[in-house]
Amino acid sequence: MPVFSKRATGLCNRKPQQHMPTQRDLLILPGTGLFGPRHLGPPEATTVLMVEDQMICRRNRYHKQKLAFILAAMRDHRDLLRSKGYNVTYYDLNTAVALPEAISETAKQTAPQSIRYFDTDEAAPAKAIEAAARSLGLPTRTV
């Protein structure tokens, strides 16, 4: 079996390629779909938006303890994503900011190239996201 030197194989002085994203996406992460970091894309190319929207508290007739659980899970997930290097914009219930408002404000601050969101069985949030994206002139993608 022939032995090749590092120089002969071209491995000498070769630095690993690092993918530097050219665009940044705004990913809207709902409280009822907290996906792990491996499903969100690279931190340097993703701004995550999480909103404790009063609409979720009113639209679904959850028990108070279940609502408290969902909100606590959202806050814990926010902390996890920040520890993994994600830029997370988070609006809690005390801000009384609705999802379309939060999308608009975050888009002004981060200037994303597109908006991504996870497809859910609820039509109202998807319609709100699509309407906000249209008003901002940004393309949307469901994940």
Side-chain angles (χ1 to χ4, degrees):
M1 174 179 245
V3 178
F4 296 99
S5 70
K6 287 184 180 181
R7 185 171 302 273
T9 58
L11 297 176
C12 185
N13 298 326
R14 184 180 286 183
K15 294 182 181 178
Q17 293 181 348
Q18 292 185 358
H19 174 67
M20 294 305 292
T22 57
Q23 68 178 18
R24 193 163 187 82
D25 289 341
L26 177 60
L27 175 66
I28 299 165
L29 198 58
T32 55
L34 302 174
F35 296 92
R38 70 176 185 204
H39 300 289
L40 305 183
E44 59 274 359
T46 307
T47 297
V48 179
L49 173 63
M50 299 176 75
V51 181
E52 291 180 6
D53 195 352
Q54 291 184 3
M55 184 170 61
I56 192 173
C57 298
R58 293 184 184 142
R59 187 179 61 245
N60 302 322
R61 293 189 174 190
Y62 291 136
H63 189 278
K64 289 179 184 178
Q65 288 178 339
K66 183 169 183 173
L67 279 175
F69 175 75
I70 290 171
L71 298 177
M74 286 180 71
R75 294 170 185 169
D76 187 57
H77 200 66
R78 171 201 59 199
D79 296 341
L80 169 75
L81 293 177
R82 285 182 176 161
S83 73
K84 299 287 184 184
Y86 285 90
N87 176 19
V88 180
T89 303
Y90 193 89
Y91 293 91
D92 64 17
L93 278 176
N94 296 329
T95 59
V97 173
L99 182 59
E101 269 181 84
I103 293 170
S104 179
E105 286 298 316
T106 306
K108 287 177 188 173
Q109 294 170 2
T110 61
Q113 299 296 314
S114 66
I115 295 177
R116 293 185 295 134
Y117 63 96
F118 287 95
D119 194 16
T120 65
D121 57 347
E122 299 178 26
K127 287 180 182 178
I129 292 167
E130 292 288 338
R134 264 193 312 279
S135 71
L136 294 168
L138 293 172
T140 60
R141 282 189 342 218
T142 56
V143 182

